[in-house]
């Protein structure tokens, strides 16, 4: 079929190539349920996949077509997730030739058929066929009659089916094409997954039907009054009378469309998501509505809701499931939002398309600030210097406006949505400006966001991605650079706008680091109203090896000729929705209550936007050497938002060892998203410092034929390497500077990994210079350097022996022109694999690094070597424990060793070497060895967020400088010395 463009002589296109939106659909409307009869068509459909459009079955849309030889496929679904074709991942580059608006002949085409029965009660009534989402283009027939074509994958389309629908058996036929002109507008850093991935239904429309409505529910914070007006479009001809009832508000059977002025309204906020249940009704239909009263405005350069500025603690959320792709079950949506609430997340950007409508219902119910983003991204044109980009091409204007209309009309009744976003990474142009104008005219109650409008010509909010901490500091001061396309007036307009980071802190692999520095700026500058971490979930696809071991696939694992590797693995939760250490760090950094030490007092600060701390209970516990010695409740009067309370410390008993007071803020009562006792925030105060180490009693090394016995240790006489500690066979420790690079180490324009490898840090060689024994010490001197390069480090290992252990002082002195940074400065040693239980006193329980250490607290923790591993989908450095005072590693019989810092060390333990970890590409590549490898580090390089953003901040960069550190080793169990 072909369609003809306007009378100005626009060329002819096939429906696949036409840059205009689809045809045949009804005007867009809001999503709602009603008492009108509904025939859900989800379930098993007949399915056939062809490699091209021309090879699709001819006549399949006719009712008599024989589809008995076809497969069965569930709807909703993404067909590559069920073995038809393969998933493909790209971040930027289109996986087809960029020849807009044309798409390749090799265009996978799915033919779907579904037979369904219509009851006699539907005789002579109107009905619509509704698709919630089809990727990327679908042509639709009912009983052999063509209804039309839909594009805009993440947006609904409805077709009127009165003439085609019949009582009894009906056959719905849908031809879905992976590629269409719409694909040029859907380049959104995700798996390309065609299919009917959201629900399908036929909905009966009675004569007096409610076609659409728009709830306008404003709140006046100065009076506490609400204003309610429900704008209604009703009936086939728009003439049916519609009534409104909201019992709680005393509105009983009133004409819809009236303006109601209401006293003592409880407003909706993300912290207090108060919804009023109401109903619109006609003689034939009743529609439940949920009303949240709130007013969004920009006042004095800040986004306000109900008169108060808000601070965004947000995440970007793609729709993804490791088994179902884009067809995310509703229970998984709810679990996502519950996890967010439990980790102090208060905002979501729906990157980069409108989500399943049920997700927004949950956001209204649970309480989130939502940026609802249009289904638009043309990022792939960026690699072509934006040549032929649709954003400024009149040929595409209708498609742009169509997508914005369908977004706004579908979602306009959600109080959780506080900004409309035009889309993402589509450069700029007249079509985007037209979208902004249309949305602002249709819904002036919500400001407009679009990061790509860097000059802020047609948006209301200044937005950036991955701005550095220094840049955000300048923006907070209104001292950012002038945009090249902005005159003085436009520049002044931008500087007066509120600022948000629509993406920051790229959560790829181990990281992100440096979150607290951003949060400090958000809280310092009123203009900086927070941001959205990229992103919520790793988009791994669950797979299994031939022997049944599970792993998660990423770009390239399905043979894609073009792909962006594991760049799709960039979430705060793993593909199975387990929280990563990055999410735990984010929760702590953004906690809405801050508990800290004052001057011999305790300070509680309220960082909420609207609520007092009255919904929280405060509890304290005193621990000595990691063991609880006292606890109790702390009486904290309700603290208002932005205020603080200074309280006396609880009366604490005397302790003999290093002691810490931990104060926790918990939910005092059950909430819809967490039970009473759920921890919101915590603070930890030092009470008693660690006692100094006891005076050292020296022993004498004993030189034997080929080894040296020194206290409980046995050393190789030629190299001075420790071989036994008590009865435990060991190897090492010796200097180590390498780590398996993280995604953030690998990322960025100036990759740390490339520099480290260029400097040979992954292939250091050790040369023993001499081994000397003295009256009370063993000194091993060596030089460590990479082959082929002229720089290195002199290392002195100074061992001393006490009654039950060994103490090692290491001095590292770099020589030559050491460039750049180093991953770590520390020791590596090897112990038997049976030594796999860990008991330690330090910062825990989880992993931490210099710029990602807020989520851990001082305590005593028990774990295992296996549980110390963080299963990043792409294996990399992980598992470090910071601030370790001591650790005991033992086997099932208690045999092992104790490691003591002086005063603290970093410690990691794993069943594979750093080199094994470096070579691995999936978790299943890691095979446990017969050893456990320990890293005992004086210092580590930070994490940063350079996988897509700034690198490690200067305070956390590890430079090759002269370093001295001390660590002690003792065999376990302690044995009597027989010397």
């Amino acid at each position: 079929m072909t369609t003809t463009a306007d009378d100005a002589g626009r060329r002819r296109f096939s429906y696949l190539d036409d840059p205009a939106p689809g045809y045949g659909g009804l005007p867009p409307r809001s999503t709602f349920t009603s008492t009108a009869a509904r025939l859900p068509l989800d379930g098993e459909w007949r399915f056939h996949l062809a490699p091209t459009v021309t090879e699709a079955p001819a006549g399949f849309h006719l009712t008599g077509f024989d589809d008995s030889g076809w497969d069965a496929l569930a709807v909703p679904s993404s067909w590559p997730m069920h073995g038809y074709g393969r998933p493909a991942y790209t971040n930027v580059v289109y996986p087809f030739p960029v020849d807009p608006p044309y798409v390749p002949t090799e265009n996978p085409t799915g033919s779907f058929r579904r037979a369904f029965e219509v009851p006699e009660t539907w005789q002579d009534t109107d009905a619509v066929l509704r698709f919630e989402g089809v990727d990327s283009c679908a042509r639709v027939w009912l009983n052999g009659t063509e209804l039309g074509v839909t594009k805009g994958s993440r947006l609904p389309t409805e077709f009127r089916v009165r003439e085609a629908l019949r009582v009894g058996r009906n056959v719905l036929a849908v031809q879905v094409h992976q590629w269409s002109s719409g694909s040029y507008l859907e380049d959104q850093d995700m798996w390309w997954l065609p299919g009917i991935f959201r629900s399908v239904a036929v909905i009966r429309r009675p004569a007096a039907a409610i076609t659409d409505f728009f709830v306008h529910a404003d709140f006046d914070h100065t009076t506490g009054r609400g204003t309610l007006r429900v704008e209604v479009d009703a009936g086939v001809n728009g003439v049916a009378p519609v009534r409104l009832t909201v019992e709680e508000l005393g509105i009983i059977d009133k004409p819809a469309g009236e303006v109601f002025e209401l006293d003592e309204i409880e407003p909706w906020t993300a912290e207090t998501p108060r919804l009023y249940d109401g109903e619109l009704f006609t003689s034939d239909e009743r529609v439940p509505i949920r009303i949240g009263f709130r007013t969004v405005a920009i006042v004095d350069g800040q986004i306000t809701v109900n008169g108060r500025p808000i601070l965004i603690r947000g995440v970007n959320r793609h729709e993804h499931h490791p088994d179902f792709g884009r067809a995310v079950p509703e229970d998984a949506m709810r679990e996502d939002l519950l996890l967010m609430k439990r980790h102090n997340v208060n905002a979501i950007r729906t990157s980069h398309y409108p989500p399943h409508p049920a997700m927004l219902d949950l956001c209204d119910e649970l309480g989130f600030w939502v940026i609802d983003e249009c289904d638009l991204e043309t990022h792939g044109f960026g690699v072509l210097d934006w040549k032929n980009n649709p954003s400024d091409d009149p040929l595409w204007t209708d498609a742009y406006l169509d997508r914005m209309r369908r977004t706004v009309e579908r979602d306009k009744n959600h109080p959780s949505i506080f900004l409309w976003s035009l889309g993402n990474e589509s450069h700029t142009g007249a079509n985007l400006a037209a979208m902004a104008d249309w949305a602002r005219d249709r819904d002036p109650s919500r400001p407009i966001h679009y990061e790509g409008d860097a000059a802020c010509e047609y948006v209301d909010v200044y937005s950036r991605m991955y701005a550095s901490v220094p840049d955000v500091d300048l923006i907070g001061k209104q001292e950012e650079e002038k945009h090249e396309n902005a005159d003085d007036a436009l520049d002044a307009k931008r500087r007066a706008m509120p600022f948000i980071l629509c993406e920051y802190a790229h959560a790829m692999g181990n990281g992100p680091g440096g979150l607290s520095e951003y949060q400090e700026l958000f809280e310092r500058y009123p203009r900086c109203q927070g941001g959205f971490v990229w992103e919520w979930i790793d988009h791994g696809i669950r797979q299994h090896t031939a022997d049944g071991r599970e792993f998660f696939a990423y770009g390239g694992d399905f043979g894609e000729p073009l792909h962006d590797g594991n760049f799709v693995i960039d979430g705060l939760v793993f593909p199975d929705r387990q929280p990563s250490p990055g999410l735990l760090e984010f929760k702590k950094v953004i906690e809405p209550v801050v508990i800290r030490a004052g001057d011999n007092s305790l300070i509680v600060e309220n960082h909420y936007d609207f609520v007092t701390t009255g919904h929280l209970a405060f509890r304290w516990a005193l621990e000595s050497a990691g063991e609880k010695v006292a606890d109790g409740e702390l009486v904290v009067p309700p603290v208002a938002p932005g205020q603080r309370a200074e309280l006396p410390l609880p009366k604490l008993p005397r302790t003999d060892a290093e002691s810490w007071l931990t104060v926790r803020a918990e939910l005092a009562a059950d909430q819809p998203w967490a039970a009473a006792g759920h921890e919101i925030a915590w603070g930890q105060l030092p009470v008693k410092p660690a006692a100094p180490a006891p005076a050292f009693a020296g022993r004498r090394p004993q030189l034997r034929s080929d080894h040296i016995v020194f206290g409980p240790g046995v050393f190789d006489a030629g190299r001075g390497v420790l071989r036994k500690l008590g009865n435990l066979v060991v190897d090492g420790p010796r200097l180590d500077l390498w780590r398996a690079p993280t995604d953030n180490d690998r990322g960025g324009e100036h990759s740390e990994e490339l520099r480290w490898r260029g400097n040979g840090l992954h292939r250091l060689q050790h040369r023993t210079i001499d081994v000397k024994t003295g009256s009370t010490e063993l000194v091993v001197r060596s030089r460590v350097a990479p082959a082929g390069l002229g720089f290195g480090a002199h290392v002195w290992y100074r061992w001393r022996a006490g009654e039950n252990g060994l103490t090692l002082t290491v001095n590292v002195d770099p020589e030559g022109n050491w460039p750049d940074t180093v991953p770590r400065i520390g020791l590596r040693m090897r112990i038997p694999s049976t030594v796999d239980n860990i008991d330690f006193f330090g910062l825990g329980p989880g992993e931490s690094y210099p710029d990602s250490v807020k989520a851990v607290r001082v305590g005593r923790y028990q774990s295992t070597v296996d549980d110390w591993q963080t299963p990043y989908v792409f294996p990399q450095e992980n598992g470090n424990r910071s601030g370790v005072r001591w650790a005991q590693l033992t086997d099932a019989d208690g045999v092992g060793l104790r490691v003591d810092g002086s005063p603290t060390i970093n410690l990691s333990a794993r069943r594979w070497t750093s080199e094994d970890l470096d070579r691995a590409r999936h978790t299943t590549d890691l095979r446990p060895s017969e050893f456990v490898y320990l890293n005992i580090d004086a210092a580590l390089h930070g994490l940063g967020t350079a996988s897509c953003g700034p690198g490690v901040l200067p305070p956390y960069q590890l430079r090759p400088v002269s370093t001295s550190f001390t660590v002690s080793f003792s065999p376990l169990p302690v044995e009597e010395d027989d010397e």
Side-chain angles (χ1 to χ4, degrees):
M1 176 178 179
T2 61
T3 59
T4 304
D6 56 34
D7 294 336
R10 193 174 73 182
R11 61 199 297 182
R12 293 170 65 88
F13 300 98
S14 74
Y15 73 87
L16 281 174
D17 297 326
D18 195 332
Y23 57 85
L26 291 169
R29 65 168 177 89
S30 58
T31 298
F32 59 87
T33 60
S34 83
T35 55
R38 181 186 186 95
L39 295 177
L41 299 183
D42 293 353
E44 190 175 278
W45 290 48
R46 308 302 292 174
F47 176 72
H48 176 278
L49 182 64
T52 68
V53 180
T54 56
E55 293 175 81
F60 89 103
H61 60 286
L62 301 175
T63 56
F65 183 86
D66 182 7
D67 61 15
S68 60
W70 288 15
D71 295 339
L73 180 66
V75 170
S77 70
S78 299
W79 72 60
M81 300 298 293
H82 296 269
Y84 299 94
R86 296 176 296 183
Y89 166 64
T90 61
N91 171 31
V92 177
V93 179
Y94 289 105
F96 49 82
V98 182
D99 180 25
Y102 300 104
V103 294
T105 300
E106 292 78 16
N107 188 353
T109 296
S111 299
F112 293 79
R113 284 171 55 88
R114 170 68 191 260
F116 62 95
E117 295 288 328
V118 170
E120 290 189 7
T121 53
W122 284 42
Q123 185 75 45
D124 296 327
T125 59
D126 200 7
V128 297
L129 170 65
R130 183 176 178 89
F131 292 86
E132 297 290 351
V134 184
D135 190 337
S136 74
C137 171
R139 189 176 178 187
V140 183
W141 296 262
L142 180 61
N143 296 325
T145 299
E146 184 182 4
L147 302 179
V149 166
T150 176
K151 298 178 188 175
S153 298
R154 267 66 64 177
L155 293 162
T157 297
E158 287 184 326
F159 299 102
R160 190 177 180 188
V161 295
R162 178 170 188 165
E163 290 76 12
L165 193 69
R166 61 185 64 152
V167 169
R169 186 175 186 271
N170 290 259
V171 176
L172 177 60
V174 184
Q175 195 161 74
V176 179
H177 309 284
Q178 176 159 14
W179 309 125
S180 69
S181 62
S183 302
Y184 285 101
L185 308 185
E186 296 175 2
D187 188 26
Q188 290 134 319
D189 185 12
M190 61 189 180
W191 294 99
W192 296 91
L193 292 173
I196 305 174
F197 69 96
R198 290 184 185 160
S199 291
V200 184
V202 178
I203 307 166
R204 186 181 179 188
R205 307 310 296 134
I210 298 173
T211 305
D212 195 13
F213 60 92
F214 193 168
V215 175
H216 303 275
D218 299 320
F219 178 74
D220 186 338
H221 66 280
T222 63
T223 64
R225 292 172 59 85
T227 302
L228 177 63
R229 179 173 64 89
V230 183
E231 175 186 335
V232 178
D233 178 11
V236 175
N237 298 311
V239 295
V242 180
R243 311 290 287 181
L244 172 67
T245 290
V246 188
E247 289 190 7
E248 274 192 280
L249 300 176
I251 301 171
I252 309 295
D253 195 7
K254 298 292 186 180
E258 280 191 14
V259 176
F260 299 94
E261 299 289 345
L262 304 161
D263 293 327
E264 298 181 357
I265 286 296
E266 296 177 53
W268 188 99
T269 76
E271 295 168 7
T272 56
R274 177 66 160 96
L275 294 170
Y276 291 85
D277 290 320
E279 188 177 61
L280 292 169
F281 57 95
T282 69
S283 57
D284 293 334
E285 185 175 28
R286 308 184 82 86
V287 174
I289 61 173
R290 308 198 80 182
I291 304 163
F293 289 87
R294 56 105 185 97
T295 297
V296 181
I298 295 178
V299 179
D300 297 330
Q302 290 184 287
I303 303 169
T304 64
V305 179
N306 304 335
R308 296 187 62 89
I310 61 173
L311 185 61
I312 299 301
R313 301 171 171 91
V315 296
N316 285 272
R317 178 187 176 271
H318 264 294
E319 292 187 313
H320 178 77
H321 190 279
D323 302 313
F324 309 124
R326 204 128 36 242
V328 180
E330 290 191 28
D331 59 350
M333 297 178 209
R334 176 176 282 274
E335 184 57 31
D336 276 347
L337 299 188
L338 294 178
L339 271 175
M340 290 178 195
K341 291 290 285 191
R342 292 167 188 163
H343 288 85
N344 294 331
V345 173
N346 72 353
I348 299 167
R349 176 178 175 230
T350 68
S351 52
H352 300 291
Y353 42 81
H356 191 291
M359 204 279 283
L360 295 174
D361 291 338
L362 290 169
C363 289
D364 295 341
E365 173 190 325
L366 296 172
F368 287 92
W369 307 117
V370 176
I371 297 182
D372 195 10
E373 196 145 85
C374 187
D375 190 6
L376 175 64
E377 181 168 335
T378 67
H379 202 172
F381 287 92
V383 299
L384 306 175
D385 198 28
W386 299 104
K387 181 181 179 182
N388 295 324
N389 182 33
S391 294
D392 204 36
D393 185 344
L395 204 61
W396 296 84
T397 301
D398 288 349
Y400 275 60
L401 287 172
D402 174 73
R403 286 169 183 253
M404 197 69 206
R405 282 191 203 99
R406 289 158 71 191
T407 298
V408 171
E409 297 295 1
R410 193 197 78 164
D411 295 340
K412 57 185 178 282
N413 293 319
H414 290 283
S416 55
I417 297 171
F418 76 109
L419 296 178
W420 297 119
S421 180
L422 307 181
N424 187 64
E425 291 177 321
S426 299
H427 204 235
T428 189
N431 293 335
L432 288 155
M435 292 168 70
D437 288 343
W438 183 90
R440 197 176 279 115
D441 182 67
R442 178 66 173 121
D443 179 24
S445 72
R446 292 178 175 101
I448 304 299
H449 167 273
Y450 175 62
E451 182 270 343
D453 181 17
C456 296
E457 296 180 79
Y458 45 84
V459 296
D460 303 307
V461 175
Y462 180 34
S463 180
R464 288 273 300 275
M465 292 181 183
Y466 307 107
S468 68
V469 167
D471 283 349
V472 174
D473 186 56
L474 289 173
I475 292 167
K477 298 172 182 175
Q478 297 179 305
E479 296 175 0
E480 69 271 21
E481 289 186 7
K482 183 177 180 179
H483 189 271
E484 60 185 1
N485 294 330
D487 58 20
D488 289 344
L490 191 57
D491 185 60
K493 173 188 170 187
R494 188 194 73 243
R495 292 179 195 275
M497 286 182 175
F499 172 74
I500 61 172
L501 279 167
C502 66
E503 294 178 23
Y504 81 112
H506 198 250
M508 186 176 180
N510 191 344
L515 287 169
S516 57
E517 283 73 16
Y518 281 105
Q519 192 67 21
E520 192 275 329
L521 295 177
F522 298 157
E523 294 175 357
R524 184 196 308 175
Y525 295 116
R527 184 190 188 192
C528 297
Q529 293 193 252
F532 298 82
V533 168
W534 186 268
E535 66 166 304
W536 174 244
I537 190 170
D538 287 343
H539 297 205
I541 293 178
R542 197 188 315 269
Q543 299 285 282
H544 294 85
T545 61
D547 58 356
R549 292 176 297 134
E550 181 181 282
F551 69 98
F552 292 102
Y554 47 76
D557 285 337
F558 298 98
E560 308 101 296
L562 284 176
H563 65 84
D564 286 292
N566 68 314
F567 203 71
V568 77
I569 305 296
D570 51 7
L572 289 168
V573 297
F574 295 119
D576 58 2
R577 288 178 159 75
Q578 293 301 306
S580 76
L583 180 58
L584 303 181
E585 180 77 359
F586 190 47
K587 176 187 178 181
K588 175 60 179 171
V589 167
I590 63 174
E591 60 188 7
V593 175
V594 174
I595 302 166
R596 60 182 178 86
D599 185 9
N600 198 33
S601 63
L602 187 69
I603 294 175
V604 176
E605 297 177 352
N606 183 352
H607 289 206
Y608 283 107
D609 296 323
F610 295 93
V611 299
T612 74
T613 59
H615 66 295
L616 301 175
F618 292 81
R619 294 182 171 83
W620 62 269
L622 176 66
E623 292 180 329
S624 177
E627 299 292 339
K628 185 187 291 185
V629 295
D631 61 9
E633 294 190 11
L634 188 70
V635 178
V636 179
V639 182
Q643 302 300 308
R644 71 178 198 174
E646 189 164 4
L647 309 166
L649 294 171
K651 189 173 182 179
L652 303 175
R654 292 177 59 87
T655 55
D656 297 325
E658 179 181 357
S659 303
W660 291 80
L661 174 68
T662 303
V663 179
R664 305 170 70 240
E666 306 171 345
L667 291 178
D670 289 349
Q671 296 292 330
W673 44 271
H678 169 76
E679 182 180 276
I680 297 294
W682 59 272
Q684 200 168 47
L685 290 68
V687 173
K688 183 181 179 66
F696 184 80
R699 309 299 296 273
R700 178 182 297 275
Q702 304 293 318
L703 179 61
R704 306 290 165 83
S705 59
D706 60 352
H707 61 277
I708 300 168
V709 177
F710 195 21
V714 177
F715 294 80
D716 180 297
R719 299 174 60 196
V721 175
L722 182 64
R723 300 301 188 190
K724 286 188 70 176
L725 183 66
N727 294 321
L728 191 71
V729 177
V730 302
D731 183 19
R734 65 177 186 172
L735 182 71
D736 188 22
L737 304 179
W738 182 244
R739 74 182 183 199
T742 67
D743 287 309
N744 289 312
D745 294 337
R746 288 191 292 267
E749 295 180 5
H750 307 288
S751 165
E752 301 250 41
E753 178 204 17
L754 292 180
R755 293 200 299 271
W756 292 344
R757 290 193 193 278
N759 296 337
L761 300 185
H762 62 307
R763 50 179 176 80
L764 295 177
Q765 297 184 19
H766 298 249
R767 175 172 62 88
T768 302
I769 298 173
D770 53 42
V771 178
K772 294 183 178 181
T773 59
S775 60
T776 60
E777 66 178 8
L778 168 66
V779 180
V780 181
R781 189 161 60 100
S782 70
R783 187 175 188 275
V784 179
L789 298 172
F791 57 85
H794 282 288
V795 187
W796 287 264
Y797 305 90
R798 300 182 182 276
W799 291 93
R800 303 184 75 191
E803 182 177 351
N804 296 312
L806 297 167
T807 296
L808 170 64
T809 298
V810 182
N811 295 95
V812 182
D813 189 9
E815 64 166 6
N817 185 23
W818 275 79
D820 305 314
T821 59
V822 294
R824 63 177 5 118
I825 298 176
L827 302 168
R828 189 195 302 194
M829 68 183 297
R830 190 178 74 188
I831 61 177
S833 64
T834 53
V835 181
D836 59 359
N837 296 307
I838 305 174
D839 180 4
F840 77 101
F841 179 40
L843 291 171
E847 73 178 26
S848 56
Y849 289 82
D851 55 353
S852 181
V853 74
K854 300 296 184 183
V856 290
R857 61 191 93 179
V858 178
R860 183 173 177 179
Y861 306 99
Q862 287 77 40
S863 188
T864 65
V865 168
D866 292 335
D867 286 344
W868 262 26
Q869 312 313 303
T870 302
Y872 294 112
V873 171
F874 189 106
Q876 56 199 272
E877 163 66 31
N878 71 91
N880 180 71
R881 267 58 179 181
S882 306
V884 175
R885 282 73 167 156
W886 57 260
Q888 297 184 158
L889 296 96
T890 57
D891 64 15
D893 298 320
V895 175
L897 78 161
R898 174 178 168 125
V899 183
D900 285 81
S902 181
T904 66
I905 54 173
N906 292 276
L907 181 66
S908 58
R910 53 180 69 98
R911 297 188 183 277
W912 34 78
T913 66
S914 294
E915 290 73 23
D916 294 333
L917 198 54
D918 190 2
R919 285 188 293 268
R921 293 296 176 265
H922 297 91
T923 53
T924 48
D925 296 335
L926 295 168
R927 297 282 190 165
S929 72
E930 56 184 318
F931 302 105
V932 167
Y933 297 88
L934 305 181
N935 276 103
I936 302 161
D937 296 308
L940 295 165
H941 190 64
L943 299 173
T945 185
S947 53
C948 187
V952 177
L953 292 169
Y956 311 114
Q957 295 173 0
L958 182 58
R959 301 288 176 177
V961 297
S962 294
T963 303
S964 179
F965 60 98
T966 299
V967 62
S968 299
F969 301 90
S970 306
L972 295 174
V974 175
E975 297 180 0
E976 293 296 327
D977 187 12
D978 58 2
E979 179 175 310

